[in-house]
């Protein structure tokens, strides 16, 4: 039986660049993915921390990044408050809390640390400095000034949202479907933080507007999570659930967000590819108009046009 849904179904595939290191194997997996899937643009959440590390080779970082950031992609921004990036932004470094555990030490990576500190534990004015400095660094390397954002560990609290509004961002993609994280982050502070920030985000949650006293911003949930946590079978399951929700709501367009990390692409990108192929088979069988977009803004434009 063919699906009852006849609107446009968008899948956005994102890449979180953690700022830890540029992994050669991960880049090669991404290069092969791009060659085999030219119809899939990517939403990159780039990270300026690669350029502020003590051992950084800026030219090499840019060359490797440019191998997989292609025309038609989106160049967004991703921030984990690494010590060196924070200091380069003129902000005092915070050494906690740790999302892995309140008593856990922060991990050091090649002379840098504080990756596990929640960004929203910084003040709005400090986050504005981090954003501005990150944009300066990335722009100097030829990347586009970002207007789309994902917070490190999906932890985009009020101070982050306010900073995004103040710095002209139009879209935050930090809302997390935490159920996929539970098996590996059970009993960690991260799950409690995500529960507090995104209590109602699930498999079929669609983009919505977050409003603060001084403005508003679109929030596009990472409703299918990332391949590090979501298997091919689970991605297929989430796709089917979203098809059902789209049909039930008679929506003109529907949105699903998945993706992966640059640092772990060699481990998980093949699984994501399998999951996307499963979704395509379902779409073909049911005559679904399945589209890949580099940004949820394609979806938002349709919603606004229908309003």
């Amino acid at each position: 039986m063919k699906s009852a849904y006849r609107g446009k179904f968008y899948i956005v595939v994102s890449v979180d660049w953690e700022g830890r290191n540029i992994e050669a194997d991960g880049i090669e997996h991404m290069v092969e993915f791009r060659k085999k899937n030219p119809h899939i643009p990517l939403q990159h959440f780039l990270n300026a921390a690669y350029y502020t590390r003590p051992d950084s080779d800026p030219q090499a970082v840019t060359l490797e990044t440019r191998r997989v950031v292609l025309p038609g992609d989106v160049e967004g921004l991703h921030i984990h408050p690494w010590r060196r990036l924070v200091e380069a932004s003129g902000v005092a470094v915070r050494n906690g809390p740790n999302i892995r555990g309140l008593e856990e030490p922060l991990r050091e990576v090649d002379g840098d640390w504080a990756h596990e500190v929640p960004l929203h534990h910084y003040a709005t004015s400090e986050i504005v400095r981090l954003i501005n400095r990150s944009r300066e660094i990335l722009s100097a390397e030829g990347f586009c000034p970002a207007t789309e954002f994902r917070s490190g560990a999906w932890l985009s609290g009020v101070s982050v949202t306010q900073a995004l509004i103040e710095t002209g961002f139009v879209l935050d993609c930090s809302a997390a479907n935490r159920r996929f994280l539970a098996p590996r982050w059970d009993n960690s502070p991260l799950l409690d933080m995500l529960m507090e920030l995104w209590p109602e985000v699930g498999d079929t949650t669609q983009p919505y507007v977050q409003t603060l006293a001084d403005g508003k911003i679109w929030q596009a949930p990472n409703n299918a999570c990332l391949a590090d946590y979501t298997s091919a079978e689970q991605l297929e399951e989430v796709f089917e659930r979203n098809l059902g929700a789209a049909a039930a709501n008679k929506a003109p367009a529907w949105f699903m967000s998945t993706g992966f990390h640059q640092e772990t692409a060699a481990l998980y990108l093949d699984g994501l590819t399998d999951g996307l192929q499963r979704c395509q088979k379902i779409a073909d069988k049911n005559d679904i108009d399945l589209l890949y977009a580099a940004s949820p803004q394609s979806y938002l434009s349709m919603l606004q046009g229908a309003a």
Side-chain angles (χ1 to χ4, degrees):
M1 180 181 294
K2 291 186 180 295
S3 169
Y5 184 59
R6 289 295 173 265
K8 294 184 181 296
F9 194 104
Y10 289 94
I11 293 181
V12 175
V13 180
S14 63
V15 188
D16 283 15
W17 297 72
E18 294 292 277
R20 184 179 293 111
N21 43 51
I22 300 295
E23 291 287 348
D25 287 349
I27 295 294
E28 291 304 325
H29 272 72
M30 292 174 70
V31 168
E32 286 304 307
F33 178 84
R34 306 308 314 258
K35 288 179 180 178
K36 294 177 181 178
N37 300 280
H39 63 294
I40 302 180
L42 295 178
Q43 179 189 36
H44 296 273
F45 293 109
L46 301 175
N47 199 320
Y50 297 112
Y51 296 97
T52 58
R53 303 186 65 78
D55 58 348
S56 177
D57 180 346
Q59 184 178 19
V61 170
T62 300
L63 287 173
E64 287 298 284
T65 305
R66 282 296 180 197
R67 294 180 65 197
V68 293
V69 178
L70 305 180
D73 290 352
V74 162
E75 298 174 12
L77 182 64
H78 192 51
I79 295 180
H80 281 273
W82 290 96
R83 170 199 168 191
R84 300 285 182 161
L85 176 62
V86 172
E87 290 178 340
S89 304
V91 174
V93 180
R94 302 190 183 211
N95 60 5
N98 187 336
I99 61 173
R100 293 189 297 114
L102 298 180
E103 304 302 321
E104 291 283 337
L106 295 172
R107 295 174 179 174
E108 183 174 321
V109 180
D110 298 330
D112 210 348
W113 50 271
H115 172 267
E116 306 102 320
V117 176
L119 181 60
H120 70 273
H121 276 255
Y122 283 82
T124 295
S125 60
E126 295 173 322
I127 299 170
V128 167
R129 288 190 174 190
L130 281 166
I131 289 171
N132 288 338
R133 183 60 182 138
S134 294
R135 279 174 160 171
E136 288 173 0
I137 291 170
L138 292 169
S139 294
E141 294 297 324
F143 296 102
C144 299
T147 61
E148 301 185 11
F149 185 81
R150 178 172 290 154
S151 191
W154 302 274
L155 295 172
S156 186
V158 173
S159 61
V160 177
T161 305
Q162 186 63 56
L164 294 176
I165 291 170
E166 289 185 16
T167 51
F169 279 79
V170 299
L171 187 69
D172 185 16
C173 301
S174 301
N177 185 353
R178 68 189 180 283
R179 82 172 178 95
F180 294 109
L181 300 169
R184 284 168 56 185
W185 289 88
D186 190 29
N187 298 319
S188 73
L190 175 61
L191 284 186
D192 292 337
M193 293 175 187
L194 293 175
M195 175 60 185
E196 182 178 353
L197 290 176
W198 319 116
E200 298 180 357
V201 173
D203 293 4
T204 61
T205 305
Q206 294 297 285
Y208 58 93
V209 175
Q210 283 186 278
T211 302
L212 298 182
D214 296 327
K216 60 185 180 180
I217 188 171
W218 277 97
Q219 179 63 243
N222 187 205
N223 53 9
C225 202
L226 301 181
D228 305 57
Y229 305 102
T230 310
S231 68
E233 293 81 6
Q234 288 173 318
L235 187 62
E236 179 182 13
E237 172 190 320
V238 174
F239 180 67
E240 290 180 321
R241 287 182 179 176
N242 275 283
L243 281 180
N249 284 275
K250 299 180 180 179
W254 203 260
F255 160 83
M256 188 175 84
S257 166
T258 184
F260 59 98
H261 294 87
Q262 179 272 138
E263 275 82 348
T264 55
L267 295 175
Y268 299 109
L269 187 50
D270 289 346
L272 175 62
T273 302
D274 182 11
L276 294 175
Q277 290 172 345
R278 290 167 181 251
C279 294
Q280 188 64 59
K281 287 180 180 178
I282 294 171
D284 292 343
K285 181 179 179 180
N286 292 279
D287 195 26
I288 302 297
D289 192 5
L290 176 57
L291 305 170
Y292 286 93
S295 169
Q297 290 192 63
S298 300
Y299 167 93
L300 302 181
S301 297
M302 288 199 67
L303 283 189
Q304 291 166 333

